[in-house]
Amino acid sequence: MKTTFPGGIHPPYNKELTASKAIVEMPLPKRVRLLLQQHIGAPCKPLVKKGDVVTVGQKIADSDAFVSAPIIASVGGEVAAVDAEGIEIVTDPEHSRFTGQAPKYDTPEDIRQIIREAGIVGMGGAAFPTHVKLSPPEGKEVHTLIINGAECEPYLSTDHRVMVEQGEELIEGIKILLRACGAQKAIIGIEKNKPDAIENLSRLCRDEENIRVEAVPVVYPQGGERQLIKSLTGREVPVGGLPLDLGIVVQNVATAVAVHQAVNLGRPLIDRVVTVSGRGVAEPANVRVRLGTPIRDLIEFCGGMRDDAVKVVNGGPMMGKAVASLDDPVTKGTSGILVLTEAEVRIYEERTCIRCARCVDACPMRLMPNYLALYSRKSMYNDAEQIHLFNCIECGCCSFVCPARIPIVHYIQKAKHEINSKRRKK
Ligand code: SF4
Ligand code: SF4
């Protein structure tokens, strides 16, 4: 058993609904809506207006900020609307098949620029612009690239299927990422519940001296950057620091495949694989879908909702967010769309904290979730910050184990949001 991190939980994984299902491609949607902010960082500004005709792969929005990533037309067609939040395109199927050319490159900076122009961000859910992560600041050197194939969120199996079905492309992507960030070696970390992915990538890496596969224990949140680093290297990212402080860069498996496609094939980020699952959808599946596709169309493609469906979640059940409208689009960070039944959704009445400390034991960041919840709920933000509110990775382990059913992570998120908006106003 490898070294692992403190805390963690074992929720019901429910991966059997889709884990063995090969990726299927969804037909082109009639229209797409591409949000101007699909990433961490500055939102983009539109480069097109209503009535313009765009081709698939064309950059349609961008920003001057370093921490940002452009928006690429995922289909060809006519721009039907441009508003403060996004750009809508009516699909022209004749002009939606991408036929690009591999760009030329020489230096790591060239590679980072291609990755940026392709609109690539972290596809594991966090959506941090990839070119930024690959640019160590002056004086910092990267020695290790970690490829995150843990996929610890229940239900999700997109990374799993990508590792089984697109292993060659993944290895090519890793080679490019190694060049781009200057690391000497790469480690692919995969949870042990994906033996076929471990087997496939181990076989493909057999002759690669500087890329190896490591199986890691199945424990949520193994796929958290800090947790995976601890499991694979035994080292801890300092409080308030970044993996770069340890000379490590972490990238998700789907991101590495997107990097291969952009740099070796000239294909920008126009689609992604999404796990559509939960007992509230008729035919759970792993679907390759164009970015901007309405969630409603994606669910329809999977046979539609069952009568007992009560909630739709964008992402996994631990860290995902409830979908407000089925017209919301798939974004670069959408790893899953879950349609859940009442039996799968925990709806409980909150009770009083009994000071059992189970949340403290479960916290992978060694925080005191009980006090974070208390201070956050009472708007005692200074006290909450004193006990490291902002170190919380919002994994939800605390809420999951709490016998009093206190939605701890919800209080924490609310406090962070309020503090951040107060700071922005100042
Ligand atoms: S949500 Fe935050 S406080 Fe709760 S267990 Fe995860 S890191 Fe700890
Ligand atoms: S797990 Fe819940 S009841 Fe127990 S100490 Fe934490 S907040 Fe209180």
Side-chain angles (χ1 to χ4, degrees):
M1 187 76 91
K2 297 287 299 176
T3 323
T4 188
F5 52 89
I9 56 167
H10 295 279
Y13 283 99
N14 289 305
K15 297 213 185 229
E16 67 286 355
L17 292 172
T18 54
S20 58
K21 292 195 175 168
I23 299 165
V24 289
E25 183 146 359
M26 182 176 156
L28 290 170
K30 287 201 173 65
R31 53 173 65 208
V32 295
R33 178 168 168 77
L34 294 149
L35 300 184
L36 296 171
Q37 175 124 45
Q38 301 187 34
H39 48 265
I40 291 178
C44 291
K45 291 203 179 87
L47 302 171
V48 292
K49 57 184 187 321
K50 187 177 172 193
D52 285 357
V53 173
V54 297
T55 54
V56 62
Q58 180 181 331
K59 183 159 75 171
I60 55 170
D62 204 349
S63 160
D64 293 336
F66 179 54
V67 184
S68 187
I71 306 298
I72 309 294
S74 58
V75 295
E78 188 175 326
V79 175
V82 178
D83 57 45
E85 284 178 3
I87 298 169
E88 211 165 294
I89 305 169
V90 176
T91 309
D92 172 2
E94 291 294 307
H95 298 97
S96 294
R97 189 159 297 282
F98 187 75
T99 49
Q101 278 198 337
K104 289 198 173 25
Y105 64 91
D106 238 354
T107 63
E109 181 47 39
D110 294 344
I111 299 175
R112 291 193 288 264
Q113 190 58 21
I114 294 168
I115 291 172
R116 185 199 181 278
E117 289 301 300
I120 299 173
V121 303
M123 292 166 76
F128 194 83
T130 301
H131 67 280
V132 179
K133 256 191 167 182
L134 295 171
S135 311
E138 283 270 314
K140 292 225 160 107
E141 282 203 4
V142 178
H143 51 75
T144 304
L145 168 69
I146 288 180
I147 299 296
N148 192 344
E151 201 169 52
C152 60
E153 268 271 8
Y155 291 92
L156 304 188
S157 58
T158 65
D159 290 347
H160 184 171
R161 293 314 309 176
V162 165
M163 289 188 282
V164 171
E165 298 178 45
Q166 294 181 271
E168 285 90 349
E169 289 184 86
L170 170 56
I171 303 295
E172 291 308 314
I174 293 172
K175 289 180 189 168
I176 295 164
L177 286 168
L178 281 168
R179 262 196 80 184
C181 68
Q184 294 98 46
K185 63 170 192 285
I187 312 171
I188 310 172
I190 310 174
E191 274 196 343
K192 285 181 182 169
N193 57 2
K194 303 171 191 66
D196 48 352
I198 295 170
E199 201 271 323
N200 186 41
L201 294 181
S202 302
R203 182 177 55 80
L204 292 170
C205 290
R206 225 173 9 218
D207 299 325
E208 303 292 341
E209 268 176 24
N210 56 350
I211 308 175
R212 68 169 206 270
V213 176
E214 288 265 1
V216 290
V218 181
V219 51
Y220 178 86
Q222 185 68 265
E225 260 189 14
R226 287 157 190 264
Q227 286 65 38
L228 192 59
I229 289 172
K230 178 78 168 67
S231 292
L232 291 173
T233 69
R235 302 182 67 193
E236 285 195 36
V237 179
V239 172
L242 292 170
L244 265 178
D245 298 326
L246 301 179
I248 296 172
V249 164
V250 184
Q251 295 286 351
N252 158 272
V253 291
T255 314
V257 170
V259 164
H260 155 71
Q261 293 183 340
V263 178
N264 290 337
L265 311 176
R267 186 181 194 273
L269 187 60
I270 57 171
D271 60 12
R272 68 157 298 146
V273 181
V274 179
T275 297
V276 183
S277 193
R279 289 176 178 81
V281 65
E283 294 156 23
N286 294 301
V287 187
R288 182 174 302 286
V289 58
R290 295 290 171 112
L291 298 176
T293 298
I295 290 170
R296 185 190 303 281
D297 293 11
L298 181 56
I299 294 173
E300 280 307 311
F301 177 69
C302 296
M305 283 199 205
R306 291 185 186 278
D307 292 343
D308 53 353
V310 294
K311 188 176 183 185
V312 180
V313 174
N314 188 336
M318 298 300 298
M319 295 186 72
K321 303 262 181 295
V323 170
S325 161
L326 293 179
D327 295 325
D328 286 353
V330 168
T331 65
K332 297 174 184 182
T334 305
S335 45
I337 294 294
L338 304 185
V339 186
L340 303 174
T341 60
E342 202 167 333
E344 293 172 290
V345 180
R346 287 160 37 110
I347 306 168
Y348 301 109
E349 208 175 307
E350 182 179 341
R351 297 197 299 268
T352 314
C353 172
I354 55 167
R355 301 190 175 198
C356 65
R358 280 192 213 170
C359 55
V360 180
D361 293 340
C363 179
M365 295 302 290
R366 294 201 184 93
L367 302 173
M368 290 194 290
N370 46 344
Y371 283 105
L372 285 173
L374 181 73
Y375 295 151
S376 299
R377 198 171 38 180
K378 297 194 166 194
S379 305
M380 295 162 67
Y381 298 141
N382 283 344
D383 297 82
E385 281 202 72
Q386 290 274 316
I387 57 167
H388 309 295
L389 176 81
F390 281 96
N391 278 4
C392 167
I393 58 168
E394 300 177 19
C395 65
C397 290
C398 49
S399 308
F400 184 83
V401 296
C402 177
R405 313 297 188 196
I406 298 170
I408 304 171
V409 68
H410 165 78
Y411 289 126
I412 291 174
Q413 284 167 336
K414 204 160 157 263
K416 282 184 181 178
H417 181 76
E418 302 227 332
I419 296 169
N420 282 333
S421 33
K422 266 188 202 155
R423 284 192 185 140
R424 267 197 300 272
K425 270 184 208 147
K426 265 189 197 163

